[in-house]
Amino acid sequence: MTWDKYARQAQGWSENAYTDRETYLARRAELIRTLGPELHPGGTVLDLACGDGGLADFLPDQRYLGVDASAEMVASGRARGRQVIEADLNVFVPPEPVDATTIFRAIYYARDRRALLTRIGAYTTGKLVFDLNPRQYRLADVRGDLEAAGFDRLATHPFFVPQTRAPSRALQLLERSGPVAQLVLRLRFTLICAAWRASS
Ligand SMILES: C[S@@+](CC[C@H](N)C(=O)[O-])C[C@H]1O[C@@H](n2cnc3c(N)ncnc32)[C@H](O)[C@@H]1O
């Protein structure tokens, strides 16, 4: 299974996967909150392929629900007091609609991306936020799948916070540099994407 390899990494995932967990996840949470329609306090955020749910600490005013297919990741998240359900993101449907759905470092676990986005669109009332490696996937292809799933609005933002090196303020300033940021993205880093419906 695609998640088997994470069993051994589940204990202490957030601390070990990110050199500076605080900066990395806080910046991710800031973009989840602000890219596209703003999140309102008290909303529900569904985090698919959540790992140990470390993101929850940085969205304290949201009701956080994590989903992960790895039993070990789920146990790790629950041991931290997070609400995490064990399920495959390709088939999971939450008991009630959610305000926002997120997928980080896991969009490539979609068996059929368009089908997954359509499923998410059926239970997400606000927006979908995810990260994308533009060297691996063409943004135009992803946009096409999002539109087919009913998400007719898309905002993107470069995300220049390194996972395994110390973050740098200068790099973060480059996120807003337009053409220079596009050059950087040809070599490294990811884009954060927020998709929503104009009517929502
Ligand atoms: C690279 S980690 C990312 C974890 C977290 N989102 C983060 O950014 O730190 C990928 C996660 O996806 C989970 N995963 C892999 N395939 C999955 C699937 N089909 N459904 C749900 N979770 C899956 C793994 O167990 C693992 O926790």
Side-chain angles (χ1 to χ4, degrees):
M1 295 294 187
T2 57
W3 50 88
D4 288 347
K5 67 175 179 177
Y6 291 102
R8 277 177 287 112
Q9 303 171 59
Q11 190 92 28
W13 165 262
S14 293
E15 287 74 17
N16 298 328
Y18 304 105
T19 295
D20 183 340
R21 166 185 174 274
E22 292 274 325
T23 302
Y24 188 96
L25 292 178
R27 178 79 178 123
R28 178 191 282 179
E30 182 189 345
L31 285 167
I32 290 171
R33 199 184 300 282
T34 58
L35 194 61
E38 183 115 7
L39 282 189
H40 298 296
T44 301
V45 173
L46 172 67
D47 188 19
L48 296 175
C50 64
D52 64 5
L55 181 61
D57 292 346
F58 301 89
L59 292 168
D61 61 351
Q62 301 293 311
R63 275 182 290 137
Y64 177 91
L65 174 61
V67 166
D68 203 281
S70 157
E72 291 80 3
M73 281 293 194
V74 171
S76 181
R78 288 179 184 164
R80 291 166 185 259
R82 289 161 193 146
Q83 192 186 352
V84 185
I85 294 173
E86 182 180 337
D88 181 344
L89 62 84
N90 291 286
V91 295
F92 178 75
V93 176
E96 294 187 352
V98 297
D99 299 285
T101 297
T102 58
I103 313 177
F104 280 91
R105 298 181 55 201
I107 194 76
Y108 38 81
Y109 292 126
R111 276 198 293 275
D112 173 337
R113 191 174 60 213
R114 187 170 289 200
L116 174 63
L117 296 175
T118 302
R119 182 179 286 274
I120 291 170
Y123 61 68
T124 304
T125 57
K127 63 181 174 179
L128 165 65
V129 189
F130 57 99
D131 59 353
L132 190 74
N133 175 348
R135 299 167 302 284
Q136 189 177 10
Y137 299 108
R138 273 167 32 99
L139 186 60
D141 294 341
V142 176
R143 187 192 294 273
D145 286 349
L146 286 165
E147 285 174 359
F151 291 108
D152 54 1
R153 294 288 182 274
L154 176 65
T156 64
H157 196 284
F159 183 71
F160 292 169
V161 186
Q163 271 169 45
T164 54
R165 289 196 191 162
S168 113
R169 184 78 193 123
L171 256 181
Q172 212 169 306
L173 287 174
L174 271 186
E175 288 181 354
R176 298 189 181 277
S177 64
V180 179
Q182 295 309 313
L183 280 177
V184 174
L185 282 166
R186 285 197 198 171
L187 302 171
R188 259 193 90 187
F189 296 117
T190 54
L191 266 181
I192 294 197
C193 306
W196 69 99
R197 301 174 197 84
S199 56
S200 65

